[in-house]
């Protein structure tokens, strides 16, 4: 049996008429940037997340960059990010002009460990950027407490966690601002690149919108040195068509994850840990194995496609060689990078496919 790591076919087949109608609407309106579809989606997504404002932009990286700039974070400032995440989180800090400061994750959840944050706070620290990695909510109460005591901003990276909740409250509502990605593979994905910043602060929302529109608050009036990052009408229309189905599709992802958690019983495999405070949406089902490469080859031979998130930690990437870190400086991130393997999990995955993955992994020795 062949089991892809991910496929959009079941979702695309189910939503075919709605997505085609969305295209026809935009094409007929002949308005492609900053129009009614953008406004419609921004209002709907803000309502879904539970914030007052949503500002669409070009992608998830820009959503974070614009949030940091709107908060006035730049040169001579430091932002704390987890040492285990996709490099876009760190790049957002770099593009805002600030310095990246790494804090190690909790080996169980893969998310930033609140108990390790205060040790890296300096008089230059301006913000903490927790990442809800793989769709698993961070432990936000202690993070918010640390931020409050040290007068720091919190900017949530929600790129992989659309609809996840922490103690019943949606992620994206804790920080001064939060960034979402709508890359096609996300739980809520566009049919191209797209992103959004959400916030409860009108001033931040206005600044995010201006920074993403060439620094302009109205046409030909530029108050910031901005850039071009706007959510185009076509992607907004596609997202509006898919948003009403997000919770239902997340529920299916949870059922698949539940099957894995119940069925996988190989002692060589470390399963994801779900904290009592978390209701994850399982963007990624990440296991760990000391013989990760052997496991990957074994599954590949069986027709099961997997992925690795992320095989080289950020502090060992050439892009951040200037920070001067070496192997061993962030051992938890390195351990996760060395052992993590992501299993197939997608909307429309069949029972036979799930059973096949479980059976093959349980056979690995």
């Amino acid at each position: 049996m062949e089991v892809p790591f991910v496929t959009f076919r079941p979702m695309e087949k189910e939503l075919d008429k709605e997505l085609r109608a969305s295209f026809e609407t935009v094409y007929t309106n002949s308005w492609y940037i900053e129009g009614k579809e953008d406004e419609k989606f921004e209002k709907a997504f803000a309502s879904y997340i539970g914030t007052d404002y949503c500002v669409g932009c070009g992608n998830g990286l820009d959503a974070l960059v614009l949030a940091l700039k709107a908060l006035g974070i730049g040169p001579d400032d430091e932002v704390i990010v987890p040492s285990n995440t996709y490099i876009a989180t760190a790049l957002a800090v770099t593009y805002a002009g600030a310095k990246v400061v790494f804090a190690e994750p909790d080996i169980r959840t893969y998310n930033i460990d609140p108990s390790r944050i205060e040790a890296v706070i300096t008089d230059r620290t301006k913000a903490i950027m927790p990442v809800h990695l793989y769709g698993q909510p961070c432990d936000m109460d202690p993070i918010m407490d640390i931020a409050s005591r040290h007068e720091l901003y919190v900017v949530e990276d929600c790129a992989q966690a659309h609809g996840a909740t922490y103690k019943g409250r949606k992620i994206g509502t804790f920080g001064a601002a939060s960034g979402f990605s709508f890359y096609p593979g996300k739980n809520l994905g566009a049919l191209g690149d797209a992103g959004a910043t959400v916030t409860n602060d009108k001033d931040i929302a206005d600044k995010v919108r201006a920074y993403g529109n060439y620094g302009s608050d109205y046409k030909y009036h530029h108050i910031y040195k901005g850039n071009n990052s706007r959510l185009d009408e076509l992607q907004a229309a596609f997202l509006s068509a898919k948003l009403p189905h997000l919770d239902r599709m997340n529920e299916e992802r949870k059922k698949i994850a539940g099957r894995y958690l119940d069925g996988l019983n190989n002692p060589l495999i470390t399963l994801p840990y779900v904290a009592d405070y978390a209701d994850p949406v399982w963007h990624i089902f990440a296991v760990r194995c000391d013989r990760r490469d052997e496991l990957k080859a074994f599954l590949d031979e069986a027709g099961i496609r997997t992925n690795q998130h992320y095989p080289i930690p950020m502090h060992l990437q050439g892009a951040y060689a200037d920070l001067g870190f070496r192997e061993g400086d962030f051992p938890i991130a390195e351990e996760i990078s060395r052992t993590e393997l992501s299993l197939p999990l997608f909307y429309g995955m069949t029972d036979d496919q799930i059973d096949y993955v479980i059976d093959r992994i349980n056979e690995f020795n």
Side-chain angles (χ1 to χ4, degrees), residues 64 79-93 101-106 109-114 117 128-140 143 154-161 164 171-172 178-179 186 277 283 310 314:
L64 296 173
V79 177
I80 297 170
V81 305
S83 55
N84 175 58
T85 182
Y86 184 54
I87 198 170
T89 309
L91 289 175
V93 177
V101 175
F102 295 123
E104 285 272 68
D106 183 327
T109 66
Y110 312 138
N111 285 328
I112 193 168
D113 186 341
I117 291 175
I128 305 167
M129 188 179 289
V131 182
H132 306 286
L133 201 64
Y134 308 148
Q136 295 271 4
C138 293
D139 192 358
M140 292 306 299
I143 293 173
V154 170
V155 177
E156 296 174 72
D157 183 340
C158 308
Q160 300 183 4
I171 58 92
S178 303
K186 305 301 186 186
Y277 56 71
H283 174 61
Y310 301 95
M314 291 182 295

Side-chain angles (χ1 to χ4, degrees), residues 12-31:
E12 290 170 344
K13 182 177 180 181
E14 185 177 312
L15 302 182
D16 182 77
K17 291 183 179 179
E18 292 174 70
L19 294 174
R20 290 181 185 276
S22 298
F23 171 81
E24 290 293 339
T25 297
V26 175
Y27 188 65
T28 300
N29 289 343
S30 192
W31 191 282

